[in-house]
Amino acid sequence: MTATSNQHSDCLFCSIATGKIDADIVKQNDDVIAFRDINPQAEMHVLVVPKRHFGDVVHVAKAEPELLAQLVTFADEVASELADGQFRFIFNCGPNAGQSVFHVHGHVLGGQRLGWTPA
Ligand code: AMP
């Protein structure tokens, strides 16, 4: 499967992955794209996103665990390139957990001392 197959035409992050919608891209390869969140919650707030569509991180873990490992590695690289290498990596799964875009994305937060207020 190619990086841009399995796209959903009505999905915001599929549209960013294929370049139909602009984003502040910080890093990408054939499989993964990382871009700045439009509503940052920390000095560094980047979304790490597989280019192929998966609804959430559980689907990625079950279908392609190596892709999940790639997302973690990507987050680490983003945090080293944009900040001090320390980071929090969050996947919201489901509306009650705060998920609002149903194309899997990990939030990479850092660049400052982080608090802990998940609820
Ligand atoms: P979640 O609530 O976990 O699904 O996270 C979705 C994130 O996507 C939020 O933090 C939004 O601020 C962010 N977001 C929504 N639209 C865009 C966009 N066009 N470019 C960058 N980030 C976006």
Side-chain angles (χ1 to χ4, degrees):
M1 192 180 287
T2 65
T4 51
S5 62
N6 191 33
Q7 300 295 318
H8 292 200
S9 59
D10 58 349
C11 170
L12 173 61
F13 288 174
C14 284
S15 295
I16 289 175
T18 54
K20 287 187 202 140
I21 291 179
D22 284 338
D24 187 354
I25 297 167
V26 298
K27 188 177 178 71
Q28 64 179 315
N29 65 19
D30 287 347
D31 300 316
V32 181
I33 185 167
F35 51 90
R36 293 188 190 273
D37 197 293
I38 47 163
N39 183 23
Q41 302 299 309
E43 288 294 322
M44 176 189 66
H45 187 173
V46 170
L47 301 176
V48 171
V49 181
K51 291 186 173 178
R52 279 182 287 136
H53 187 96
F54 297 84
D56 63 35
V57 70
V58 177
H59 286 88
V60 177
K62 288 182 176 172
E64 294 194 30
E66 66 287 353
L67 179 56
L68 178 55
Q70 203 181 332
L71 298 180
V72 175
T73 300
F74 226 73
D76 179 50
E77 291 171 359
V78 165
S80 293
E81 290 163 19
L82 299 185
D84 63 2
Q86 301 176 59
F87 63 100
R88 183 173 294 160
F89 197 31
I90 296 172
F91 291 89
N92 295 328
C93 295
N96 285 348
Q99 187 175 8
S100 61
V101 177
F102 293 88
H103 177 139
V104 60
H105 50 281
H107 296 257
V108 187
L109 298 160
Q112 65 179 75
R113 182 89 177 180
L114 296 171
W116 181 246
T117 55

